[in-house]
Amino acid sequence: MSPSIAKPAKPHAFVIDDEAQVRTLVSNVLVMAGFIAHQLSGGLEVEAALIKWPPSLIVLDLSLGNSDAVEVIRSLAAARFAGEVLLVSGHGAETLNEVQQIGVHRGLTMLPPLHKPFRVDELRERLAAASDRDERPAE
Protein backbone atom coordinates (compact mmCIF):
# COMPACT_ATOMS: atom_id res chain seq x y z
CA MET A 1 0.00 0.00 0.00
CA SER A 2 1.55 3.31 -1.04
CA PRO A 3 1.38 6.33 1.23
CA SER A 4 -1.12 8.94 0.17
CA ILE A 5 -0.05 12.51 -0.35
CA ALA A 6 -2.51 15.03 0.99
CA LYS A 7 -3.58 17.68 -1.46
CA PRO A 8 -3.24 21.22 -0.22
CA ALA A 9 -6.56 22.58 0.96
CA LYS A 10 -8.25 25.11 -1.27
CA PRO A 11 -8.29 28.64 0.12
CA HIS A 12 -11.59 30.06 1.30
CA ALA A 13 -13.02 33.35 0.04
CA PHE A 14 -16.01 35.40 1.17
CA VAL A 15 -18.24 37.32 -1.18
CA ILE A 16 -20.10 39.95 0.83
CA ASP A 17 -22.70 41.72 -1.28
CA ASP A 18 -26.40 42.41 -0.82
CA GLU A 19 -27.11 41.57 -4.48
CA ALA A 20 -27.61 37.82 -4.96
CA GLN A 21 -26.70 37.94 -8.66
CA VAL A 22 -23.38 39.65 -7.95
CA ARG A 23 -22.60 37.17 -5.15
CA THR A 24 -23.27 34.26 -7.48
CA LEU A 25 -21.21 35.69 -10.36
CA VAL A 26 -18.22 36.50 -8.16
CA SER A 27 -18.47 33.14 -6.38
CA ASN A 28 -18.43 31.28 -9.69
CA VAL A 29 -15.29 33.14 -10.79
CA LEU A 30 -13.65 32.40 -7.43
CA VAL A 31 -14.46 28.69 -7.68
CA MET A 32 -12.97 28.60 -11.17
CA ALA A 33 -9.86 30.28 -9.71
CA GLY A 34 -9.49 27.52 -7.10
CA PHE A 35 -11.26 29.00 -4.08
CA ILE A 36 -14.03 27.66 -1.89
CA ALA A 37 -16.47 30.57 -2.06
CA HIS A 38 -18.88 31.52 0.72
CA GLN A 39 -21.67 33.98 -0.03
CA LEU A 40 -22.65 36.42 2.70
CA SER A 41 -25.39 38.98 2.22
CA GLY A 42 -24.30 41.38 4.94
CA GLY A 43 -21.67 42.35 7.42
CA LEU A 44 -23.41 40.80 10.43
CA GLU A 45 -22.49 37.30 9.25
CA VAL A 46 -18.76 38.00 8.92
CA GLU A 47 -17.54 37.47 12.49
CA ALA A 48 -18.99 33.96 12.80
CA ALA A 49 -17.86 33.03 9.29
CA LEU A 50 -14.27 34.19 10.01
CA ILE A 51 -14.07 31.60 12.78
CA LYS A 52 -15.75 28.82 10.83
CA TRP A 53 -13.96 29.28 7.47
CA PRO A 54 -10.93 31.60 7.76
CA PRO A 55 -10.65 33.12 4.27
CA SER A 56 -7.60 34.29 2.40
CA LEU A 57 -9.70 36.73 0.34
CA ILE A 58 -12.80 38.82 0.93
CA VAL A 59 -14.67 40.47 -1.93
CA LEU A 60 -16.64 43.26 -0.27
CA ASP A 61 -19.35 45.57 -1.63
CA LEU A 62 -19.44 49.07 -0.11
CA SER A 63 -23.20 49.18 0.45
CA LEU A 64 -24.77 46.32 2.35
CA GLY A 65 -28.35 46.01 3.48
CA ASN A 66 -27.77 45.97 7.24
CA SER A 67 -24.28 47.47 7.42
CA ASP A 68 -21.59 48.91 5.22
CA ALA A 69 -18.03 48.11 4.16
CA VAL A 70 -16.48 50.41 6.77
CA GLU A 71 -18.16 48.42 9.56
CA VAL A 72 -16.89 45.18 8.01
CA ILE A 73 -13.39 46.64 7.69
CA ARG A 74 -13.45 47.57 11.39
CA SER A 75 -14.47 44.00 12.27
CA LEU A 76 -11.76 42.53 10.04
CA ALA A 77 -9.11 44.78 11.62
CA ALA A 78 -10.30 43.87 15.14
CA ALA A 79 -10.07 40.18 14.20
CA ARG A 80 -6.57 40.79 12.77
CA PHE A 81 -7.61 39.47 9.36
CA ALA A 82 -4.43 38.58 7.47
CA GLY A 83 -5.93 37.94 4.02
CA GLU A 84 -6.70 40.35 1.21
CA VAL A 85 -9.75 42.53 0.67
CA LEU A 86 -11.13 43.49 -2.73
CA LEU A 87 -13.71 46.29 -2.66
CA VAL A 88 -16.39 46.31 -5.37
CA SER A 89 -19.01 49.00 -5.75
CA GLY A 90 -21.03 51.17 -8.05
CA HIS A 91 -20.00 54.22 -5.99
CA GLY A 92 -17.57 56.66 -7.55
CA ALA A 93 -13.83 56.09 -7.66
CA GLU A 94 -13.24 58.71 -4.96
CA THR A 95 -15.48 56.88 -2.48
CA LEU A 96 -13.92 53.51 -3.35
CA ASN A 97 -10.44 54.95 -2.82
CA GLU A 98 -11.42 56.55 0.51
CA VAL A 99 -12.79 53.25 1.87
CA GLN A 100 -9.72 51.43 0.56
CA GLN A 101 -7.51 53.86 2.50
CA ILE A 102 -9.54 53.20 5.65
CA GLY A 103 -8.67 49.51 5.23
CA VAL A 104 -4.99 50.27 4.65
CA HIS A 105 -4.87 52.52 7.74
CA ARG A 106 -6.43 49.72 9.78
CA GLY A 107 -3.67 47.34 8.68
CA LEU A 108 -5.54 45.34 6.05
CA THR A 109 -4.11 44.25 2.71
CA MET A 110 -6.36 45.98 0.19
CA LEU A 111 -6.37 45.06 -3.50
CA PRO A 112 -7.08 47.77 -6.08
CA PRO A 113 -10.87 48.29 -5.99
CA LEU A 114 -13.20 47.16 -8.75
CA HIS A 115 -15.99 49.44 -10.01
CA LYS A 116 -19.44 47.98 -10.76
CA PRO A 117 -20.49 47.07 -13.31
CA PHE A 118 -17.30 45.15 -13.97
CA ARG A 119 -16.32 42.58 -16.57
CA VAL A 120 -15.48 39.04 -15.48
CA ASP A 121 -11.98 39.38 -16.94
CA GLU A 122 -11.39 42.45 -14.72
CA LEU A 123 -12.21 40.32 -11.67
CA ARG A 124 -9.96 37.52 -12.93
CA GLU A 125 -7.10 40.04 -13.35
CA ARG A 126 -7.48 41.16 -9.71
CA LEU A 127 -7.47 37.55 -8.54
CA ALA A 128 -4.41 36.75 -10.65
CA ALA A 129 -2.56 39.76 -9.22
CA ALA A 130 -3.41 38.57 -5.70
CA SER A 131 -2.16 35.05 -6.52
CA ASP A 132 1.06 36.42 -8.03
CA ARG A 133 1.70 38.40 -4.86
CA ASP A 134 1.23 35.25 -2.74
CA GLU A 135 3.76 33.31 -4.82
CA ARG A 136 6.54 35.90 -4.65
CA PRO A 137 9.44 35.04 -2.36
CA ALA A 138 9.79 37.14 0.76
CA GLU A 139 12.44 39.83 0.52
Side-chain angles (χ1 to χ4, degrees), residues 39-62:
Q39 297 184 30
L40 308 174
S41 60
L44 298 177
E45 305 168 67
V46 174
E47 288 182 40
L50 282 171
I51 295 166
K52 192 171 184 179
W53 308 291
S56 59
L57 173 68
I58 295 178
V59 179
L60 176 61
D61 185 21
L62 288 192

Side-chain angles (χ1 to χ4, degrees), residues 62-121:
L62 288 192
S63 300
L64 304 169
N66 56 10
S67 63
D68 64 26
V70 174
E71 290 177 36
V72 174
I73 286 170
R74 285 186 194 124
S75 294
L76 294 174
R80 299 183 189 270
F81 176 64
E84 296 175 310
V85 179
L86 171 61
L87 296 174
V88 294
S89 179
H91 289 280
E94 186 175 319
T95 302
L96 269 168
N97 291 332
E98 286 176 15
V99 175
Q100 180 179 14
Q101 287 307 305
I102 291 170
V104 169
H105 290 303
R106 293 207 174 248
L108 299 175
T109 302
M110 305 295 292
L111 298 173
L114 191 58
H115 192 267
K116 287 181 184 178
F118 56 85
R119 295 186 328 269
V120 169
D121 32 327

Side-chain angles (χ1 to χ4, degrees), residues 1-22:
M1 180 179 240
S2 64
S4 62
I5 299 173
K7 284 185 162 183
K10 289 183 179 183
H12 289 258
F14 293 174
V15 181
I16 307 171
D17 197 303
D18 58 350
E19 295 179 56
Q21 291 176 327
V22 173

Side-chain angles (χ1 to χ4, degrees), residues 133-139:
R133 196 170 28 256
D134 289 342
E135 293 172 9
R136 290 184 197 140
E139 295 179 15

Side-chain angles (χ1 to χ4, degrees), residues 24-41:
T24 300
L25 171 69
V26 172
S27 293
N28 288 340
V29 173
L30 286 166
V31 167
M32 290 172 46
F35 287 88
I36 297 171
H38 302 276
Q39 297 184 30
L40 308 174
S41 60

